[in-house]
Amino acid sequence: MVGEHSARVHEEPVSFWRRYIFSTDHKVIGIQYYLTAMAMALVGGTLAMLIRLQLGWPEAKWPLLAKIFPRGMSGGVMNPDFYLALITMHGTLMIFFVISLGLVSGFGNYLLPLHIGARDMAFPFLNMLSYWTVVPACVIILASFFVEGGAAASGWTAYPPLSAVEQAVPGSGLGQTLWLLGMALFIASFTMGGLNFVTTILNERTRGMSMMRLPLFIWTLLIASILGLLAFPPLTAAAILLLFDRHGGTSFFLPSGLYFGERVLPHSGGSPLLWQHLFWFLGHPEVYVLILPALGIALDLLPPFTRKPIFGYRLTVYSLFAIGVLSMIVWGHHMFVSGMNPYVGEFFAIGTLAITIPSAIIGFNLIASLWGARLQLRTPALFALGAIAFFGTGGLGGIFLGNATSDIQLHDTYFVVGHFHFMIGGVTLLALFGGTYYWFPKMFGRMMSERLGKLHFWLTFLSFYAVFLTQHFLGLGGMPRRYYAFSKFEFLAPIRDMNAFISIAAFVLGAAQLIFLVNFFWSLFRGARAEQNPWRATTLEWVAPTPPPHGNWGETVPEVHRWPYDYSVPGAPEDFTPQTVPPTVVTVTQ
Amino acid sequence: MAEGRERFGRTLEGFFFAFALFTIALVGIGFGMRRWLPPLASEHGAGIDRMIRYLILTVGVLFVIGHVALGYFIWRFSRQDRVTYRLASPRAEKLWSLLPGIVMALVAEGGVLLIGLPIWQKYYLHPAPPDAVLVEVTAEQFAWNIRYPGKDGRLGRTDPRLIRYDNPLGIDAEDPASQDDVVQLGVMYVPVGRPVHVRLRSKDTLHSFFLPHFRVKQDAVPGMTIDLWFTPTQTGEFEIACAELCGFGHFQMRGVLRVLPPEEFQRWLAAQPTFSGQ
């Protein structure tokens, strides 16, 4: 098993199509995923800017925007149903088509074989298939903006009856059908990817790469992939059932007596709560599918810039497993006030708050890894440190929401919006950026600009806090989420003006990402040439040539003799000892 | 020389990072000490507020400690020229991990078990007291229908097929219990100091009955009747908001809750026309 496959050298394809478009090379596929995610992020980010424009100045007129969105912003004023389409698509795109694709599929595909000393993924063809399944998913989901009634408008959670009944909301027409089809394709693709990850990690490790010598990013990918494989199928089933309810006259999620458009609908016997259970059975593990690899990247970016091992490798692995197991049994904390049996709510509250224990251990290990370090604040390190701060802030906010009692007041308010943006928006985005600055030299053979990178970090980090920390407090004030404007309620009068401040900070946050884009494409062509191992790091990808050729390793695959964090080993010639250095040369210290 | 400049540069950057994190901690303290919750007007709400205040205090302390520690570490260790502490022993790692584990067990689990769930149980697991005022709240896109059972204390039968413009709840006129029902749109009256038993329903999509001042939030689910109860402690006019996305008018699905002295409430109720028009 281990090492057996690594002996074969793949034939390198020569035609342009096989090389760059329908490639089975994990590196090309990883970059394809990454660039796709980047394109989707541009759309998702633009939607966020429009959302903030509306919330900051709900009464204002924007004649210019009326020309770009003649239907959604007729007369320069945003329509409420267009606003709902914006929030729905912003959430859907960012969670599934940006973070999942960029962080998990993008970095996962690019780095996994390089990290474990394999020549490619276990199933290269399946890998290509998974990418080319997600492309139509992207097209379908984007196309929904242009159909009659506009894009889906029932929230990224797509709760029925809103998502099931056409008359309920304009986006519940063809837009919602396309949303469901796009999601089904996305899930099919992500499942193929997950199978590939698990198989590759278990079977394709090179000689000497035992499980406890895996970089933590690979551990997080393994756990995230297993979670994805277990949790996604119920949502596929739910999406298909919802399609039946919409177009086949069934009543899985629709009870009797629904009154829409002056008539009673013929459905009977279903329950909207069933959808919520199925959705969150996926939805909660899904946030760990995103956040665990982000934490893995943060953990792995520290040692090259602290020049010392990570603190508590083993306990981190155990904690990751504990989080993975617990994350499967806590979905009900999204449903404390949904009408679910309150006894069950108690179970979910206790289970949810149990997750804080392994999470706090990981957070502690992250901070403790700095102790005694020779810290070098290069751009990737800044992003990793920022991710620690976000993980702390987001995690602490979660304690309010996992607690059923305080959740009664905070549920569906801006507290929730602030919380999940820190976690699946902030930690993941910083990891995605930190990973990009760090692995860009390996991927493209050039360095990214440090100056622009640091500017990008500081603008992102500070404006992110300004936006989403503030939102926590608006949530305490009772400000409900998914509101098109806050002008109708007197109890919001004391706090609603803070939305203008939040919007300005959000625009800074959005503009900062343009710096990243400029840096990315400028460095692609003009960046300084990278050495093979510019960060003087220990993991296997830096042993490979830059950029790695097809098959990654040339004639012989590397053999591993130590864990990935042998920095500053006493008596070693350098302050980093790559995993390939045999114990006869430098002692193994783990 | 170049090394000295390089060292100065990273010291400065480390200081800046620490300064940013300390500032965030300070802003957190400043915000956290402000009063954000809408003024309280219900009995069980005091318990929910106690839970939230406990969390603001304990979690707030962890927020400050976390940011200060991270900032201090970054500042201090960005100045170092060599690694001074490399690898902890497995025993030390295990012992240190007890610290975050125990803190979270106390703050998070302890909080919910000792403070949170007793309130949760009082609020959710006990039926409304027998002297409660019964009010049916039926949500629809984008309004709140309020119905009182009248003198007989029983709500009449409803059927969605009977819904007409002048009978928005589809009340069955054949049912004797319907005759003295009182139906209101958008404004709910309740007496102060007496439990209010709400029977929550929805005609179309999900909604959520959110009384920000009363710490009440409960989704209205079509096909289900959900019971909840609370006791107002203040008279006055309050707002009912919808907290579950229900369509394009979600943001303006406003209702009014008027809490009256008991006698005034009785006078008001007696003066309202009943379903049968008597």
Side-chain angles (χ1 to χ4, degrees):
Chain A
M1 62 123 288
V2 174
E4 188 188 311
H5 297 275
S6 347
R8 66 170 190 248
V9 179
H10 295 241
E11 196 110 338
E12 187 167 0
V14 278
S15 81
F16 173 81
W17 285 92
R18 292 290 299 173
R19 217 181 147 115
Y20 296 110
I21 310 294
F22 296 104
S23 170
T24 54
D25 186 320
H26 70 98
K27 298 183 293 298
V28 176
I29 295 172
I31 292 171
Q32 285 176 326
Y33 268 119
Y34 185 93
L35 293 177
T36 310
M38 195 186 260
M40 297 303 267
L42 280 175
V43 182
T46 308
L47 302 186
M49 297 299 108
L50 289 170
I51 292 169
R52 284 318 315 179
L53 193 70
Q54 166 62 22
L55 293 181
W57 301 274
E59 317 283 331
K61 271 196 173 184
W62 314 93
L64 191 66
L65 288 176
K67 292 196 184 109
I68 308 173
F69 307 101
R71 207 170 41 187
M73 302 206 41
S74 48
V77 180
M78 191 180 287
N79 296 331
D81 41 298
F82 184 60
Y83 176 79
L84 295 184
L86 290 180
I87 59 163
T88 302
M89 297 305 282
H90 168 71
T92 307
L93 292 181
M94 287 303 198
I95 292 169
F96 297 107
F97 292 88
V98 176
I99 304 296
S100 300
L101 288 194
L103 192 72
V104 183
S105 306
F107 278 131
N109 270 307
Y110 192 90
L111 292 170
L112 174 46
L114 283 170
H115 260 354
I116 64 172
R119 293 200 180 274
D120 206 318
M121 299 291 276
F123 309 118
F125 181 80
L126 190 70
N127 207 12
M128 175 180 84
L129 190 63
S130 80
Y131 176 72
W132 284 103
T133 308
V134 95
V135 172
C138 295
V139 172
I140 288 174
I141 214 111
L142 289 178
S144 71
F145 278 108
F146 304 100
V147 299
E148 174 82 37
S154 54
W156 79 279
T157 50
Y159 280 5
L162 214 52
S163 59
V165 179
E166 276 203 37
Q167 302 94 308
V169 66
S172 199
L174 187 53
Q176 189 73 49
T177 303
L178 292 178
W179 187 93
L180 287 164
L181 286 173
M183 285 300 297
L185 278 176
F186 167 83
I187 296 169
S189 154
F190 208 68
T191 309
M192 289 185 243
L195 274 172
N196 222 342
F197 283 176
V198 173
T199 316
T200 308
I201 295 171
L202 294 182
N203 286 338
E204 300 283 315
R205 282 168 288 126
T206 187
R207 194 178 302 278
M209 182 60 97
S210 64
M211 291 303 276
M212 290 318 263
R213 284 178 181 170
L214 286 176
L216 283 164
F217 177 56
I218 302 302
W219 270 112
T220 57
L221 271 186
L222 176 66
I223 296 167
S225 302
I226 295 171
L227 286 182
L229 288 176
L230 293 174
F232 266 111
L235 184 66
T236 323
I240 292 167
L241 297 184
L242 188 52
L243 281 172
F244 284 155
D245 272 12
R246 291 171 55 78
H247 302 290
T250 57
S251 301
F252 292 105
F253 306 119
L254 296 173
S256 63
L258 285 180
Y259 188 82
F260 278 101
E262 322 241 311
R263 67 187 188 91
V264 181
L265 301 186
H267 295 278
S268 76
S271 165
L273 289 190
L274 175 62
W275 169 271
Q276 297 184 24
H277 281 292
L278 291 172
F279 182 86
W280 288 116
F281 187 82
L282 154 89
H284 197 73
E286 164 69 5
V287 304
Y288 289 92
V289 170
L290 304 181
I291 199 129
L292 294 183
L295 288 174
I297 288 182
L299 285 156
D300 276 356
L301 290 194
L302 285 180
F305 300 99
T306 56
R307 312 309 294 172
K308 68 185 278 290
I310 202 84
F311 182 90
Y313 176 87
R314 273 167 195 281
L315 276 158
T316 302
V317 171
Y318 301 152
S319 299
L320 289 169
F321 262 101
I323 292 178
V325 170
L326 287 170
S327 76
M328 296 295 296
I329 54 163
V330 296
W331 74 90
H333 65 219
H334 297 268
M335 299 170 61
F336 283 139
V337 299
S338 67
M340 178 180 72
N341 186 322
Y343 285 103
V344 188
E346 298 193 14
F347 164 78
F348 283 123
I350 293 168
T352 301
L353 293 172
I355 292 191
T356 60
I357 295 171
S359 305
I361 292 175
I362 293 177
F364 180 86
N365 288 351
L366 280 162
I367 297 185
S369 296
L370 301 178
W371 186 262
R374 202 185 122 214
L375 185 58
Q376 298 169 346
L377 293 173
R378 307 290 296 274
T379 308
L382 293 180
F383 279 91
L385 294 167
I388 301 175
F390 280 10
F391 181 58
T393 307
L396 290 172
I399 299 176
F400 287 76
L401 299 171
N403 184 319
T405 307
S406 42
D407 185 64
I408 294 172
Q409 183 71 4
L410 300 175
H411 183 78
D412 264 328
T413 66
Y414 267 83
F415 197 98
V416 181
V417 178
H419 163 71
F420 70 65
H421 274 96
F422 264 104
M423 296 306 255
I424 55 170
V427 180
T428 53
L429 223 51
L430 291 195
L432 199 53
F433 290 136
T436 306
Y437 288 105
Y438 183 72
W439 282 298
F440 191 89
K442 182 53 62 179
M443 293 165 108
F444 303 109
R446 290 179 187 270
M447 306 297 289
M448 288 181 79
S449 157
E450 278 281 298
R451 198 178 284 256
L452 289 179
K454 286 185 176 177
L455 184 67
H456 173 222
F457 170 75
W458 281 111
L459 288 175
T460 303
F461 184 70
L462 295 175
S463 58
F464 203 96
Y465 262 103
V467 174
F468 297 108
L469 189 63
T470 316
Q471 289 187 346
H472 283 80
F473 294 98
L474 296 183
L476 279 174
M479 186 171 280
R481 66 191 281 211
R482 293 171 169 172
Y483 267 31
Y484 160 79
F486 303 105
S487 44
K488 304 288 175 190
F489 286 87
E490 282 163 36
F491 80 96
L492 296 174
I495 52 175
R496 64 176 155 230
D497 291 341
M498 291 174 74
N499 275 303
F501 163 75
I502 292 177
S503 289
I504 291 169
F507 295 151
V508 175
L509 180 58
Q513 309 320 309
L514 300 178
I515 301 175
F516 171 76
L517 281 181
V518 169
N519 195 354
F520 187 93
F521 287 104
W522 185 84
S523 304
L524 205 52
F525 301 105
R526 291 289 161 84
R529 290 266 171 212
E531 305 158 37
Q532 182 174 334
N533 188 357
W535 313 109
R536 300 160 61 79
T538 56
T539 38
L540 282 186
E541 76 271 28
W542 303 108
V543 176
T546 294
H550 191 71
N552 293 344
W553 311 105
E555 282 303 305
T556 47
V557 292
E559 191 177 337
V560 166
H561 298 283
R562 58 186 70 239
W563 76 327
Y565 304 115
D566 258 346
Y567 290 89
S568 302
V569 179
E574 301 258 22
D575 71 345
F576 67 105
T577 311
Q579 284 185 279
T580 48
V581 174
T584 45
V585 180
V586 175
T587 46
V588 174
T589 61
Q590 187 208 6
Chain B
M1 193 59 207
E3 206 170 86
R5 239 196 333 264
E6 189 265 341
R7 184 163 182 265
F8 178 74
R10 63 189 150 90
T11 309
L12 200 68
E13 239 182 305
F15 176 78
F16 182 69
F17 209 138
F19 181 75
L21 288 169
F22 295 165
T23 310
I24 290 164
L26 274 177
V27 171
I29 294 175
F31 270 13
M33 291 189 21
R34 266 185 68 178
R35 197 196 141 77
W36 294 94
L37 292 164
L40 179 67
S42 75
E43 204 177 279
H44 80 280
I48 292 180
D49 283 12
R50 197 176 330 124
M51 185 72 254
I52 293 178
R53 278 201 304 271
Y54 166 86
L55 289 175
I56 288 179
L57 186 71
T58 52
V59 172
V61 167
L62 294 178
F63 175 82
V64 171
I65 292 177
H67 281 77
V68 168
L70 182 61
Y72 173 70
F73 280 23
I74 292 172
W75 182 18
R76 170 159 172 201
F77 296 112
S78 60
R79 285 178 312 177
Q80 290 208 145
D81 288 326
R82 58 186 190 86
V83 169
T84 51
Y85 181 88
R86 189 174 170 271
L87 194 58
S89 69
R91 197 181 128 78
E93 286 176 354
K94 279 195 199 103
L95 281 176
W96 274 108
S97 71
L98 287 176
L99 178 72
I102 290 171
V103 168
M104 279 304 156
L106 287 177
V107 168
E109 285 289 6
V112 77
L113 288 173
L114 296 179
I115 308 175
L117 290 184
I119 301 159
W120 174 266
Q121 286 165 352
K122 192 174 166 218
Y123 176 59
Y124 268 120
L125 303 182
H126 294 282
D131 66 327
V133 184
L134 179 64
V135 189
E136 182 196 66
V137 175
T138 307
E140 68 175 297
Q141 287 184 330
F142 302 97
W144 302 98
N145 296 283
I146 315 291
R147 180 159 68 128
Y148 299 85
K151 285 194 194 67
D152 64 354
R154 292 192 303 137
L155 291 160
R157 210 180 70 81
T158 60
D159 185 336
R161 282 167 300 187
L162 299 174
I163 293 177
R164 300 285 179 275
Y165 178 70
D166 56 353
N167 185 6
L169 293 175
I171 297 173
D172 184 357
E174 312 281 305
D175 185 357
S178 305
Q179 308 308 319
D180 60 350
D181 285 5
V182 172
V183 178
Q184 301 278 316
L185 182 64
V187 187
M188 175 173 167
Y189 288 81
V190 292
V192 72
R194 218 175 115 188
V196 178
H197 174 185
V198 175
R199 307 210 73 192
L200 189 59
R201 311 201 305 161
S202 168
K203 280 164 72 173
D204 37 39
T205 72
L206 297 172
H207 299 274
S208 192
F209 182 66
F210 177 29
L211 304 175
H213 301 88
F214 296 77
R215 316 299 187 245
V216 167
K217 188 179 287 143
Q218 176 61 57
D219 284 8
V221 184
M224 287 173 76
T225 302
I226 298 170
D227 292 277
L228 63 111
W229 66 279
F230 62 96
T231 309
T233 54
Q234 311 276 329
T235 57
E237 188 173 306
F238 303 93
E239 286 176 309
I240 307 170
C242 181
E244 183 66 76
L245 180 59
C246 61
F248 71 87
H250 174 50
F251 72 104
Q252 53 186 358
M253 189 167 158
R254 178 179 183 267
V256 169
L257 175 64
R258 291 217 172 92
V259 183
L260 304 175
E263 322 76 58
E264 211 175 308
F265 170 74
Q266 291 305 341
R267 267 205 304 280
W268 170 83
L269 191 58
Q272 299 311 305
T274 61
F275 178 68
S276 62
Q278 283 129 28

